[in-house]
Amino acid sequence: MKTTRRAIEATVARFVTAHALLPAGASVVVAVSGGADSLCLLGTLLAFSDRGEIVVASLDHGLRGSAGAADAQWVADLADTLGLHCVTERVDTQAFAREQHRSLEDAARHLRYTFLQRVATQVRAQRICVGHTRDDQAETITLNWLRGSGLAGLAGMRPLDGKIARPLLTLTRAETVAYCAARDWQPREDASNSDDAYRRNSIRRHLLPALERYNPNLARTLARNADLIAADEAYLEAQTNAAWDATISASTANGVAFTLDALRAQPAALRHRLLRRAVLDLTGSTAIILEAVHIAALDHLLADGATGATLHLPGKLRARLTYTTLLIGRSERLAGGSETAPSPVSGRSATNTTAQTWVLPVPGIVEAHEIGWRVRAWVTERPAGLEDATRATPSLATPSLSPVAHAGTLAQLPHATLTAYLDADAAGPGPLLVRAWRAGDRFRPLGMRHEKKLQDYFADAKIPREWRARLPLVLGQHNGHDSILWVGGQRIDDRARLTPESRRVLALQIEPIGQIEPGEQQEPSAQRDGVCDGGVG
């Protein structure tokens, strides 16, 4: 028995050294459930001569009633016998799963690792050690293969993943049982491990034994393949990092915006990895992944989808195709069509905004909350000419505003800017008006000789339908009629352009009200002032 114990401890020590899992003297948190694997983990770590402090952590998931509580107490008693500090906790996994709309397996895993991370922070441990074995690796790889999780899933669990160390990946479950017997430890039995309602249990109890009839060394073969695939995965991950920077135009906790042309130009292997990473970043859960069926559907959307087409994804996410971007984000943030889509700043509905009109004094400010914009106007007496000559200090305390960035949904507004300069006299007398687009609106885009329907301009400029009713229009008086001077963020009317004869300059500025939503961020690199089509005519 001593020979068995020493041989297993030596095997684990070699594995730990080969993968640099535990720095000399490092303090560790050891996850102990009371089962054979976790007891073997604890025992082999105790055998290390250069170990630091060992803290035992045991979580009762609240799924097995008094049996779970008894196991946690048994672990605490064992730790006390060994002279080790032990932290135990009980959680309500079922309630958490309901609240988060997770499976029980995913909820239990999330709560377990959250608990272990918290204990590690409290005791300032450098590592968290968990008792996954080679058999667990085989189950994980098979499960990922069945789900179509790609190379990352086939690479299985890594010996070291951040602070998480897996010293037993080189051992079989039979060896952990033999080790416990050698130490006269009686592992606790978890009845739920025999419940085929859990997919992992069914794979372990039925599928893997059937496959082992074809390859008796299946677990070892899968582990060896996982090591080979992991090397490929590491290389591809580095390539994905570079591709991420080249394709992402905006990324927040609620949404990711890919530049469409850049994403389509990526090799399929990298494009699929980028999509999977977006979902991982948004959900924060490795259990919520894009499976093969989702990847195929996204490829179809990118290749043949019409602008505005959407696709439901795992984790309550949705993908939506626009003229220039693929947006992936929370379903509620991407829902709606042209009439009820969230506003560009705070998710407000654009419904019933066409009848709204706001008076904009000159100089003055108006806040059009219903469409999500603040509009400023002032006049400078400096003669127009070169672009810089029009940039006088406004008579209002107006901060310098950056242009609408070419990022996320705002990237769908070509050549967008937040500031425009026009001929004040051509704009007409009296206050200006601000409103949203109405059917029948016309203006003469800068550089054109004839008027054009605003609807046709939007189509030609590829302005998404959901944005058209939310762009601020600034109107003035022309020949006794209200006429569009500026389609905010887009074009001014040619009749109000600056010319060498202009003597007064009307400056207009728009600013989103509130917090810009995901996919609609201002890009840090775009912090430059902009002039909207208002140079010398």
Side-chain angles (χ1 to χ4, degrees), residues 64 190-196 198 201 204:
R64 297 186 295 119
D190 183 345
S192 66
N193 287 334
S194 300
D195 186 351
D196 287 344
Y198 298 105
N201 290 348
R204 179 179 64 253

Side-chain angles (χ1 to χ4, degrees), residues 307-322:
T307 298
T310 61
L311 178 68
H312 289 279
L313 299 174
K316 298 200 300 184
L317 299 177
R318 183 183 295 179
R320 186 177 69 198
L321 199 64
T322 74

Side-chain angles (χ1 to χ4, degrees), residues 113-454:
Y113 279 100
T114 299
F115 165 68
L116 293 172
Q117 293 281 4
R118 185 169 62 251
V119 174
T121 299
Q122 291 170 352
V123 301
R124 299 182 179 180
Q126 289 99 317
R127 290 286 188 271
I128 297 170
C129 293
V130 292
H132 294 130
T133 65
R134 186 193 301 162
D135 296 286
D136 293 312
Q137 181 78 297
E139 294 166 14
T140 297
I141 292 170
T142 304
L143 181 61
N144 289 340
W145 170 62
L146 292 173
R147 296 168 69 185
S149 59
L151 281 184
L154 296 181
M157 299 176 287
R158 293 296 84 210
L160 185 62
D161 184 5
K163 292 178 67 171
I164 307 296
R166 298 182 173 91
L168 302 190
L169 278 182
T170 190
L171 297 184
T172 64
R173 187 166 290 120
E175 287 174 310
T176 67
V177 171
Y179 181 84
C180 289
R183 294 202 64 149
D184 292 327
W185 286 346
Q186 183 62 46
R188 306 289 287 185
E189 294 295 333
D190 183 345
S192 66
N193 287 334
S194 300
D195 186 351
D196 287 344
Y198 298 105
R199 182 179 293 187
R200 180 178 288 271
N201 290 348
S202 180
I203 288 172
R204 179 179 64 253
R205 287 162 47 83
H206 305 293
L207 179 57
L208 288 177
L211 292 175
E212 284 169 353
R213 292 201 296 268
Y214 299 91
N215 181 355
N217 294 317
L218 179 65
R220 185 184 297 276
T221 299
L222 291 177
R224 187 165 55 246
N225 284 344
D227 289 339
L228 294 173
I229 293 172
D232 294 341
E233 174 70 11
Y235 172 77
L236 286 171
E237 187 66 8
Q239 301 304 308
T240 304
N241 291 337
W244 182 268
D245 293 338
T247 57
I248 289 292
S249 58
S251 178
T252 73
N254 289 316
V256 170
F258 290 99
T259 301
L260 202 52
D261 289 343
L263 182 62
R264 284 170 170 161
Q266 296 298 319
L270 289 183
R271 184 171 65 250
H272 297 165
R273 295 176 67 87
L274 291 168
L275 296 170
R276 283 194 169 101
R277 177 180 290 189
V279 169
L280 176 60
D281 285 357
L282 292 171
T283 63
S285 173
T286 56
I288 301 174
I289 62 172
L290 289 183
E291 299 178 6
V293 63
H294 305 123
I295 292 294
L298 282 166
D299 276 345
H300 179 73
L301 180 68
L302 288 168
D304 303 313
T307 298
T310 61
L311 178 68
H312 289 279
L313 299 174
K316 298 200 300 184
L317 299 177
R318 183 183 295 179
R320 186 177 69 198
L321 199 64
T322 74
Y323 280 111
T324 59
T325 60
L326 176 71
L327 304 175
I328 297 179
R330 309 295 177 194
S331 293
E332 61 271 19
R333 301 296 179 92
L334 295 179
S338 59
E339 294 184 354
T340 58
S343 82
V345 290
S346 60
R348 290 184 293 273
S349 173
T351 304
N352 298 325
T353 61
T354 57
Q356 299 278 349
T357 300
W358 296 268
V359 176
L360 174 61
V362 183
I365 302 175
V366 67
E367 293 192 345
H369 286 278
E370 286 77 1
I371 56 175
W373 295 96
R374 179 182 295 114
V375 186
R376 293 177 167 94
W378 69 93
V379 171
T380 174
E381 301 299 334
R382 296 192 181 187
L386 295 176
E387 211 172 80
D388 289 342
T390 68
R391 300 192 181 184
T393 301
S395 54
L396 299 173
T398 307
S400 175
L401 295 176
S402 59
V404 178
H406 286 202
T409 302
L410 293 184
Q412 299 156 25
L413 309 180
H415 314 297
T417 178
L418 289 175
T419 305
Y421 297 97
L422 303 85
D423 188 309
D425 296 316
L432 306 175
L433 300 177
V434 175
R435 64 170 173 81
W437 166 48
R438 295 174 184 171
D441 276 345
R442 306 177 69 91
F443 83 126
R444 186 195 296 179
L446 182 69
M448 296 187 66
R449 295 185 177 183
H450 304 287
E451 286 190 341
K452 187 171 189 173
K453 284 185 178 180
L454 192 52

